[in-house]
Amino acid sequence: MFPNSSNLGHPPFPLEHQQYNFFINLPVNIPPVLFHQQFQNTTTPVSGNLLTIPPVSPPPFAYRNGSPVHTSAAPASFRGRKRLKEQDVPYQVKRQRFHSPHHESASANQVVPLPEDHRRSFPGSIPSPLFPAHYISDLTGCVPPLQEASFPDLIETALPVAKDKLSQQILELFQVCQQQTYDLNKKELCRTQLQREIQQIFPNSRLFLVGSSLNGFGTRSSDGDLCLVVKEQPINQKTEARHILSLLQKHFCRKLSNYIERPQLIRAKVPIVKFRDKVSCVEFDLNVNNVVGIRNTFLLRTYAYIESRVRPLVLVVKKWASFRGINDASRGTLSSYSLVLMVLHYLQTLPEPILPSLQKNYPESFDPTMQLHLVHRAPCTIPPYLSKNQSTLGDLLLGFLKYYATEFDWSSQMISVCEAKAIPRPDGVEWRNKFICIEEPFDRTNTARAVHEKQKFDIILDEFRKSWQRLRDRRDLNCVLPLRATLQKR
């Protein structure tokens, strides 16, 4: 993909250091969706007719000698840049996601032809000042482990049953729009090659794929989030991080302009470089040493899989908020991360909770001081949460909208997933005179600080109120989120 990457199969680190480690074997070819299919016998069919799910069957491509090389026949219009249209895919391939997970797994393995020891979304077990310890993981448990292997003892959460029209609409939306194998492979390929380039400047650095790509809440249209860790100690985000990102931006412009376009340095509280990979057409945000993003990736992944209703509910809320224009922190509304925390908080605070506080129940698994090469272990050791609450997806979406429209006290309360309840606002500058206060589970900052205008706050509340009233009266998702248009965008 990049000039210093002579061939795709050449690993960036010496093979003798590549022990079987979780950070080497992340979900490139078996993302969360495939685990559901592998344990199909435990899944209760959804009532009604499911939408036809378009397959993920892109033309395999590779990067060699700095240029994209197509390795199989593909429509002339594709050229490594666009997804296949649904009509371009054979009917029998469209059906294999539900009926033959082994076929999809095989297809996914061909998308990015990397050796087994090279499939990595996180670097790990590499001798360096950053990650001195070696850890050979023993991954068993109830949350899908992030590696390529067979897990006969894995207890996978089944998708919830859709007993009514609204719940069925939510579930079908989830099945069509959730992130697919190919989407993750594209991000992983870019991360692998980009890490090699960055190590030309910062030899001991490691590049991590984080956020919705790995936490279980990704969609087909999700951007890629990257965290560059240059040293173990915290760095000043206003000075040192900006300087590092400035160097990277210049390097991208000078050396990688054929592969990366529009690299922009965004001077936010956590500065980032935004760019687009021309070949995969994925947008990326790259930060430096924002390691809290690595930790909360695995916390959220655990929440995503300990209860079957969490992921579909989060996805429909994200799609709804995006359509209603309140899911853009750069424009003074809510980030996707804040929306996820709002959903988790709501599910924790029901009279019969659907989620617990993982940090309170399993403090040793989510220790904020835990070394980075160990944080992946938590999702594999937490059992499913067995709630007595049998609410449908439709009821939960309606209750979510009502809770924030009429019940939550925005003026004096703070959303805390860590405490599993609404708590009084602290008296610090981070919280004083803020319209929305959502506590980040690890560093305890306000994830909703972007909502700093009263006008934007009023718009957000108005959307919650209007959507709750419409959905209460009609019980049809189309009245708050046009499904046809949403499914076309995915």
Side-chain angles (χ1 to χ4, degrees):
M1 179 176 186
F2 303 114
N4 291 318
S5 303
S6 58
N7 64 75
L8 185 63
H10 182 69
F13 306 114
L15 288 174
E16 61 267 22
H17 297 317
Q18 295 185 14
Q19 297 194 24
Y20 191 74
N21 180 283
F22 162 78
F23 280 2
I24 294 178
N25 297 278
L26 278 177
V28 175
N29 291 312
I30 304 184
V33 62
L34 291 185
F35 283 93
H36 280 304
Q37 296 158 6
Q38 288 177 338
F39 295 88
Q40 194 92 12
N41 60 328
T42 65
T43 303
T44 305
V46 179
S47 59
N49 296 322
L50 287 175
L51 296 172
T52 300
I53 309 298
V56 181
S57 182
F61 62 92
Y63 297 92
R64 289 191 175 90
N65 300 321
S67 301
V69 179
H70 296 269
T71 59
S72 69
S77 61
F78 183 77
R79 300 302 183 200
R81 294 175 182 269
K82 296 181 180 178
R83 292 193 187 100
L84 282 176
K85 295 180 180 179
E86 182 176 352
Q87 59 265 31
D88 295 330
V89 185
Y91 174 77
Q92 65 270 22
V93 180
K94 294 180 183 180
R95 297 183 59 83
Q96 73 183 24
R97 279 192 65 245
F98 282 131
H99 302 291
S100 182
H102 301 291
H103 289 171
E104 171 158 321
S105 180
S107 174
N109 286 334
Q110 298 168 7
V111 175
V112 184
L114 301 179
E116 286 299 314
D117 58 10
H118 186 54
R119 300 182 193 278
R120 60 183 78 220
S121 288
F122 282 57
S125 285
I126 298 165
S128 74
L130 196 61
F131 302 105
H134 289 265
Y135 172 71
I136 301 177
S137 56
D138 177 18
L139 297 178
T140 57
C142 302
V143 175
L146 300 183
Q147 68 171 41
E148 297 171 299
S150 298
F151 300 95
D153 297 327
L154 183 66
I155 303 173
E156 176 57 66
T157 54
L159 291 177
V161 178
K163 299 179 179 178
D164 57 88
K165 176 183 176 180
L166 180 56
S167 298
Q168 183 174 328
Q169 289 174 323
I170 296 170
L171 193 57
E172 290 177 345
L173 180 71
F174 169 72
Q175 291 174 312
V176 173
C177 295
Q178 65 178 322
Q179 179 177 257
Q180 305 293 327
T181 306
Y182 177 47
D183 305 316
L184 185 58
N185 278 340
K186 291 191 299 182
K187 298 171 186 177
E188 165 61 10
L189 180 59
C190 184
R191 186 214 63 81
T192 301
Q193 305 290 0
L194 189 59
Q195 177 173 255
R196 297 177 190 170
E197 291 298 324
I198 294 176
Q199 286 180 334
Q200 303 297 314
I201 306 173
F202 303 102
N204 290 326
S205 65
R206 299 293 182 268
L207 190 62
F208 294 77
L209 184 62
V210 296
S212 62
S213 299
L214 294 184
N215 65 21
F217 298 122
T219 66
R220 299 296 313 273
S221 58
S222 294
D223 294 343
D225 294 305
L226 297 168
C227 176
L228 177 66
V229 181
V230 294
K231 60 182 180 180
E232 192 170 5
Q233 297 78 21
I235 67 173
N236 188 304
Q237 290 291 324
K238 288 187 178 181
T239 56
E240 192 173 0
R242 287 184 183 180
H243 175 68
I244 293 170
L245 290 173
S246 178
L247 293 177
L248 292 179
Q249 181 201 23
K250 293 175 183 177
H251 182 70
F252 292 170
C253 291
R254 290 197 305 261
K255 303 293 185 181
L256 305 179
S257 58
N258 290 334
Y259 313 96
I260 288 178
E261 65 180 354
R262 302 197 301 266
Q264 294 179 301
L265 175 60
I266 309 297
R267 292 174 170 82
K269 182 175 182 179
V270 177
I272 59 173
V273 167
K274 296 181 70 72
F275 64 91
R276 180 177 181 268
D277 171 28
K278 291 183 180 180
V279 177
S280 67
C281 298
V282 174
E283 300 277 350
F284 285 92
D285 292 346
L286 188 156
N287 67 70
V288 177
N289 267 59
N290 185 33
V291 295
V292 68
I294 301 173
R295 301 186 190 281
N296 65 44
T297 292
F298 293 99
L299 175 66
L300 263 58
R301 183 175 176 85
T302 312
Y303 277 117
Y305 283 95
I306 61 171
E307 221 288 336
S308 64
R309 290 165 286 186
V310 178
R311 289 194 300 145
L313 186 62
V314 166
L315 186 141
V316 72
V317 166
K318 288 171 64 175
K319 290 292 186 182
W320 163 79
S322 179
F323 178 77
R324 310 309 302 188
I326 59 172
N327 179 204
D328 189 346
S330 68
R331 296 179 180 272
T333 57
L334 294 163
S335 67
S336 293
Y337 183 43
S338 291
L339 286 166
V340 172
L341 294 178
M342 290 172 69
V343 174
L344 299 181
H345 167 79
Y346 164 69
L347 296 177
Q348 291 173 327
T349 55
L350 291 167
E352 188 64 59
I354 288 178
L355 291 177
S357 167
L358 290 174
Q359 289 166 288
K360 293 179 72 173
N361 290 5
Y362 306 97
E364 69 288 345
S365 297
F366 301 101
D367 184 347
T369 64
M370 182 186 296
Q371 293 184 353
L372 292 182
H373 72 281
L374 298 176
V375 297
H376 68 281
R377 301 174 63 183
C380 309
T381 59
I382 309 300
Y385 184 73
L386 303 178
S387 172
K388 297 178 181 178
N389 188 320
Q390 298 299 311
S391 298
T392 65
L393 285 171
D395 290 337
L396 291 176
L397 176 60
L398 192 60
F400 168 82
L401 296 171
K402 180 183 179 182
Y403 176 72
Y404 289 111
T406 66
E407 298 174 16
F408 187 81
D409 185 356
W410 297 98
S411 63
S412 63
Q413 291 182 324
M414 175 174 70
I415 294 169
S416 176
V417 170
C418 182
E419 298 295 330
K421 61 183 179 180
I423 62 177
R425 292 189 183 195
D427 194 30
V429 64
E430 180 86 13
W431 312 98
R432 195 180 305 128
N433 300 323
K434 298 298 188 296
F435 297 107
I436 298 179
C437 292
I438 304 175
E439 180 188 58
E440 207 292 322
F442 286 100
D443 67 15
R444 305 300 177 93
T445 57
N446 184 10
T447 70
R449 58 183 174 269
V451 187
H452 55 79
E453 297 179 17
K454 180 65 162 56
Q455 179 188 13
K456 295 295 178 65
F457 173 67
D458 290 340
I459 290 173
I460 292 170
L461 286 193
D462 189 52
E463 290 296 342
F464 272 92
R465 292 191 191 98
K466 289 190 300 185
S467 294
W468 166 57
Q469 292 167 352
R470 291 173 185 170
L471 203 61
R472 176 195 60 191
D473 296 338
R474 303 181 191 178
R475 303 286 297 193
D476 184 344
L477 192 57
N478 283 290
C479 70
V480 297
L481 176 63
L483 285 174
R484 183 177 296 275
T486 303
L487 294 174
Q488 287 175 349
K489 294 174 65 176
R490 291 192 291 186

Coordinates of all heavy atoms in Angstrom, one line a residue, residues 344-385:
L344 N -26.1 2.3 27.1 CA -25.7 1.4 28.2 C -26.2 1.9 29.5 O -26.7 1.1 30.3 CB -24.1 1.4 28.2 CG -23.4 0.8 27.0 CD1 -21.9 0.8 27.2 CD2 -24.0 -0.6 26.6
H345 N -26.1 3.2 29.7 CA -26.7 3.8 31.0 C -28.1 3.5 31.1 O -28.6 3.1 32.2 CB -26.4 5.3 31.0 CG -27.1 6.0 32.1 ND1 -26.7 6.0 33.4 CD2 -28.3 6.8 32.1 CE1 -27.6 6.7 34.1 NE2 -28.5 7.2 33.3
Y346 N -28.9 3.7 30.1 CA -30.3 3.5 30.1 C -30.6 2.0 30.5 O -31.5 1.7 31.3 CB -31.0 3.8 28.8 CG -32.4 3.2 28.6 CD1 -33.4 3.7 29.4 CD2 -32.6 2.2 27.7 CE1 -34.7 3.2 29.2 CE2 -33.8 1.7 27.5 CZ -34.9 2.1 28.3 OH -36.1 1.6 28.2
L347 N -29.9 1.1 29.9 CA -30.1 -0.3 30.1 C -29.7 -0.7 31.5 O -30.2 -1.7 32.1 CB -29.3 -1.2 29.1 CG -29.8 -1.0 27.6 CD1 -28.9 -1.9 26.7 CD2 -31.3 -1.4 27.5
Q348 N -28.8 0.0 32.1 CA -28.4 -0.2 33.5 C -29.4 0.3 34.5 O -29.4 -0.2 35.7 CB -27.0 0.5 33.8 CG -25.8 -0.2 33.1 CD -24.6 0.7 33.3 OE1 -24.6 1.9 33.4 NE2 -23.4 0.0 33.3
T349 N -30.2 1.3 34.2 CA -31.0 2.0 35.1 C -32.5 1.6 35.1 O -33.3 2.2 35.7 CB -30.9 3.5 34.9 OG1 -31.2 3.9 33.6 CG2 -29.5 4.0 35.2
L350 N -32.8 0.6 34.3 CA -34.2 0.1 34.2 C -34.5 -0.5 35.6 O -33.7 -0.9 36.3 CB -34.3 -0.9 33.1 CG -34.2 -0.4 31.7 CD1 -34.1 -1.5 30.7 CD2 -35.5 0.4 31.4
P351 N -35.8 -0.5 36.0 CA -36.2 -1.1 37.2 C -35.7 -2.5 37.4 O -35.3 -3.0 38.4 CB -37.8 -1.1 37.2 CG -38.1 0.1 36.3 CD -37.0 0.1 35.3
E352 N -35.7 -3.3 36.2 CA -35.1 -4.6 36.2 C -33.9 -4.4 35.2 O -34.1 -4.5 34.0 CB -36.1 -5.6 35.7 CG -35.5 -7.1 35.8 CD -35.2 -7.5 37.2 OE1 -36.1 -7.5 38.1 OE2 -34.0 -7.8 37.5
P353 N -32.7 -4.2 35.6 CA -31.6 -3.8 34.7 C -31.3 -4.9 33.7 O -31.5 -6.1 34.0 CB -30.4 -3.6 35.7 CG -31.0 -3.4 37.0 CD -32.3 -4.1 37.0
I354 N -30.9 -4.5 32.5 CA -30.5 -5.4 31.5 C -29.0 -5.5 31.4 O -28.4 -6.5 30.9 CB -31.1 -4.9 30.1 CG1 -32.6 -5.2 30.1 CG2 -30.4 -5.6 28.9 CD1 -33.3 -4.7 28.8
L355 N -28.3 -4.5 32.0 CA -26.8 -4.5 32.1 C -26.4 -4.2 33.5 O -27.0 -3.3 34.2 CB -26.2 -3.5 31.1 CG -26.3 -3.9 29.6 CD1 -25.7 -2.7 28.8 CD2 -25.6 -5.2 29.3
P356 N -25.3 -4.7 33.9 CA -24.7 -4.3 35.2 C -23.6 -3.3 35.0 O -23.4 -2.8 33.9 CB -24.0 -5.6 35.7 CG -23.5 -6.2 34.4 CD -24.5 -5.9 33.4
S357 N -22.9 -2.9 36.1 CA -21.7 -2.1 35.9 C -20.5 -3.1 35.9 O -20.2 -3.8 36.9 CB -21.5 -1.2 37.1 OG -20.1 -0.7 37.1
L358 N -19.9 -3.3 34.7 CA -18.8 -4.2 34.6 C -17.6 -3.8 35.4 O -16.9 -4.6 36.0 CB -18.4 -4.4 33.1 CG -19.4 -5.1 32.2 CD1 -18.9 -5.0 30.8 CD2 -19.6 -6.5 32.7
Q359 N -17.4 -2.5 35.5 CA -16.2 -2.0 36.3 C -16.4 -2.2 37.8 O -15.4 -2.4 38.5 CB -16.0 -0.6 36.0 CG -15.4 -0.4 34.5 CD -15.5 1.1 34.1 OE1 -16.6 1.6 33.9 NE2 -14.4 1.7 34.0
K360 N -17.6 -2.2 38.3 CA -17.8 -2.5 39.7 C -17.9 -4.0 40.0 O -17.4 -4.4 41.0 CB -19.2 -1.9 40.1 CG -19.2 -0.3 40.1 CD -20.5 0.2 40.5 CE -20.7 0.1 42.0 NZ -22.0 0.8 42.5
N361 N -18.4 -4.8 39.1 CA -18.5 -6.2 39.3 C -17.2 -6.9 39.0 O -16.9 -8.0 39.6 CB -19.6 -6.8 38.4 CG -21.0 -6.4 38.8 OD1 -21.2 -5.6 39.7 ND2 -22.0 -6.9 38.2
Y362 N -16.4 -6.4 38.1 CA -15.1 -7.1 37.7 C -14.0 -6.0 37.7 O -13.4 -5.7 36.6 CB -15.3 -7.7 36.3 CG -16.4 -8.7 36.2 CD1 -17.6 -8.2 35.7 CD2 -16.3 -10.0 36.7 CE1 -18.7 -9.1 35.6 CE2 -17.4 -10.9 36.6 CZ -18.6 -10.4 36.0 OH -19.7 -11.3 35.9
P363 N -13.7 -5.4 38.8 CA -12.7 -4.3 38.9 C -11.3 -4.8 38.4 O -10.6 -4.0 37.8 CB -12.7 -3.9 40.3 CG -13.2 -5.1 41.1 CD -14.2 -5.7 40.2
E364 N -11.0 -6.0 38.6 CA -9.6 -6.5 38.2 C -9.5 -6.6 36.7 O -8.4 -6.5 36.1 CB -9.3 -7.8 38.9 CG -10.1 -9.0 38.4 CD -11.5 -9.0 38.9 OE1 -11.9 -8.2 39.8 OE2 -12.3 -9.8 38.3
S365 N -10.6 -6.8 36.0 CA -10.6 -7.0 34.6 C -10.6 -5.7 33.8 O -10.2 -5.6 32.7 CB -11.9 -7.8 34.1 OG -11.8 -9.1 34.6
F366 N -11.0 -4.6 34.5 CA -11.1 -3.3 33.9 C -10.3 -2.2 34.7 O -10.7 -1.1 34.8 CB -12.5 -2.9 33.7 CG -13.3 -3.8 32.8 CD1 -14.1 -4.7 33.4 CD2 -13.1 -3.8 31.4 CE1 -14.9 -5.6 32.6 CE2 -13.8 -4.7 30.6 CZ -14.7 -5.6 31.2
D367 N -9.2 -2.7 35.2 CA -8.3 -1.8 36.0 C -7.7 -0.7 35.0 O -7.0 -1.1 34.0 CB -7.2 -2.6 36.6 CG -6.3 -1.8 37.5 OD1 -6.3 -0.6 37.4 OD2 -5.5 -2.4 38.2
P368 N -7.9 0.5 35.3 CA -7.4 1.6 34.4 C -5.9 1.7 34.3 O -5.4 2.4 33.4 CB -8.0 2.9 34.9 CG -8.4 2.6 36.3 CD -8.7 1.1 36.4
T369 N -5.2 1.0 35.2 CA -3.7 1.0 35.2 C -3.2 -0.3 34.6 O -2.0 -0.4 34.5 CB -3.2 1.1 36.6 OG1 -3.5 0.0 37.4 CG2 -3.7 2.4 37.3
M370 N -4.0 -1.2 34.1 CA -3.6 -2.4 33.5 C -2.7 -2.1 32.3 O -3.0 -1.2 31.5 CB -4.8 -3.3 33.1 CG -4.4 -4.6 32.6 SD -5.9 -5.5 32.0 CE -6.8 -5.8 33.5
Q371 N -1.6 -2.9 32.1 CA -0.8 -2.7 31.0 C -1.6 -3.1 29.7 O -2.4 -3.9 29.6 CB 0.4 -3.7 31.1 CG 1.4 -3.3 32.2 CD 2.6 -4.1 32.2 OE1 2.7 -5.1 31.5 NE2 3.6 -3.8 33.1
L372 N -1.2 -2.3 28.6 CA -2.0 -2.4 27.4 C -2.0 -3.8 26.8 O -3.0 -4.2 26.1 CB -1.4 -1.4 26.4 CG -1.6 0.1 26.7 CD1 -1.1 0.9 25.6 CD2 -3.1 0.4 26.9
H373 N -0.9 -4.6 27.0 CA -0.9 -5.9 26.3 C -1.8 -6.9 27.1 O -1.9 -8.0 26.6 CB 0.5 -6.4 26.2 CG 1.1 -6.8 27.6 ND1 1.6 -5.9 28.5 CD2 1.3 -8.1 28.1 CE1 2.1 -6.6 29.5 NE2 1.9 -7.9 29.3
L374 N -2.5 -6.5 28.1 CA -3.4 -7.4 28.9 C -4.8 -7.0 28.8 O -5.7 -7.8 29.2 CB -3.0 -7.4 30.4 CG -1.6 -7.9 30.7 CD1 -1.3 -7.7 32.2 CD2 -1.4 -9.3 30.3
V375 N -5.1 -5.8 28.2 CA -6.5 -5.3 28.3 C -7.5 -6.2 27.5 O -8.7 -6.2 27.7 CB -6.6 -3.9 27.8 CG1 -5.9 -3.0 28.7 CG2 -6.2 -3.7 26.3
H376 N -7.0 -7.0 26.5 CA -7.8 -7.8 25.7 C -8.4 -9.0 26.4 O -9.4 -9.6 25.9 CB -7.0 -8.4 24.5 CG -6.0 -9.4 24.9 ND1 -4.8 -9.0 25.5 CD2 -6.0 -10.7 24.9 CE1 -4.1 -10.1 25.8 NE2 -4.8 -11.2 25.5
R377 N -7.9 -9.3 27.6 CA -8.3 -10.5 28.3 C -9.7 -10.4 28.9 O -10.4 -11.4 29.0 CB -7.3 -10.9 29.4 CG -5.9 -11.1 28.9 CD -4.9 -11.3 30.0 NE -5.2 -12.5 30.8 CZ -4.5 -12.8 31.9 NH1 -3.5 -12.1 32.3 NH2 -4.9 -13.9 32.5
A378 N -10.1 -9.2 29.2 CA -11.4 -9.0 29.9 C -12.6 -9.5 29.2 O -13.4 -10.2 29.8 CB -11.6 -7.5 30.2
P379 N -12.8 -9.2 27.9 CA -14.0 -9.7 27.2 C -14.2 -11.2 27.2 O -15.3 -11.7 27.1 CB -13.9 -9.2 25.8 CG -13.0 -8.0 25.9 CD -12.0 -8.4 27.0
C380 N -13.1 -11.9 27.3 CA -13.1 -13.4 27.3 C -13.4 -14.0 28.6 O -13.6 -15.3 28.6 CB -11.8 -13.9 26.7 SG -11.3 -13.1 25.2
T381 N -13.5 -13.3 29.7 CA -13.6 -13.9 31.0 C -14.9 -13.5 31.7 O -15.2 -14.0 32.8 CB -12.5 -13.5 31.9 OG1 -12.4 -12.1 32.0 CG2 -11.1 -14.0 31.3
I382 N -15.7 -12.6 31.0 CA -16.9 -12.1 31.6 C -18.1 -12.9 31.1 O -18.3 -13.0 29.9 CB -17.2 -10.6 31.3 CG1 -15.9 -9.8 31.6 CG2 -18.4 -10.1 32.1 CD1 -15.5 -9.9 33.1
P383 N -18.9 -13.6 32.0 CA -20.0 -14.4 31.5 C -21.2 -13.5 31.1 O -21.2 -12.3 31.4 CB -20.4 -15.2 32.8 CG -20.0 -14.3 33.9 CD -18.8 -13.6 33.4
P384 N -22.2 -14.1 30.3 CA -23.4 -13.3 30.0 C -24.1 -12.8 31.2 O -24.0 -13.4 32.3 CB -24.2 -14.3 29.2 CG -23.2 -15.4 28.7 CD -22.2 -15.4 29.8
Y385 N -24.8 -11.7 31.0 CA -25.6 -11.2 32.1 C -27.0 -11.7 31.9 O -27.7 -11.4 30.9 CB -25.6 -9.6 32.1 CG -26.3 -9.0 33.3 CD1 -25.8 -9.1 34.6 CD2 -27.5 -8.4 33.1 CE1 -26.5 -8.6 35.7 CE2 -28.2 -7.8 34.2 CZ -27.7 -7.9 35.5 OH -28.4 -7.4 36.5

